[in-house]
Amino acid sequence: MPEVQFVSSVIVALGVLLALARLTGLPPSAVVFAGGLASVLLPVPLLPLRTNPEVLLGLLLPPLLYASVASLSVDLLRHALIRGVMAGAVLIIAITLTIALAAHAL
């Protein structure tokens, strides 16, 4: 299956799953997760696909990021950003110190 056909079918499948989520009132993330799980459990073997990861990330990631940012409220972003930045900074400092101590010990 060529890359373009694969990416097109993934985008169409995501559109169908998101429409199904809107019709049923279920959270879109749960419906997309269930769709991905169902695609893995299909009895039909899928053809092996060799693609360039940059092509897939360049085509699929920007629309997903835009959709999640467009539905985000300013208050949620402010609270999550502060907590996320603080947690990320603490983790980076802790990991850096741990690696420095391990490198010094070796």
Side-chain angles (χ1 to χ4, degrees), residues 23-73:
L23 287 174
T24 59
L26 295 171
S29 58
V31 174
V32 170
F33 176 77
L37 188 63
S39 72
V40 170
L41 299 176
L42 285 174
V44 179
L46 297 175
L47 298 174
L49 179 67
R50 292 188 182 268
T51 62
N52 184 1
E54 292 178 9
V55 171
L56 293 180
L57 288 176
L59 288 175
L60 295 178
L61 195 58
L64 293 175
L65 289 175
Y66 174 76
S68 55
V69 169
S71 65
L72 190 63
S73 71

Side-chain angles (χ1 to χ4, degrees), residues 63-84:
L64 293 175
L65 289 175
Y66 174 76
S68 55
V69 169
S71 65
L72 190 63
S73 71
V74 175
D75 291 330
L76 179 61
L77 179 62
R78 185 176 40 142
H79 293 296
L81 185 63
I82 291 171
R83 290 182 184 157

Side-chain angles (χ1 to χ4, degrees), residues 12-29:
V12 168
L14 279 173
V16 169
L17 289 173
L18 292 175
L20 180 67
R22 183 170 285 190
L23 287 174
T24 59
L26 295 171
S29 58

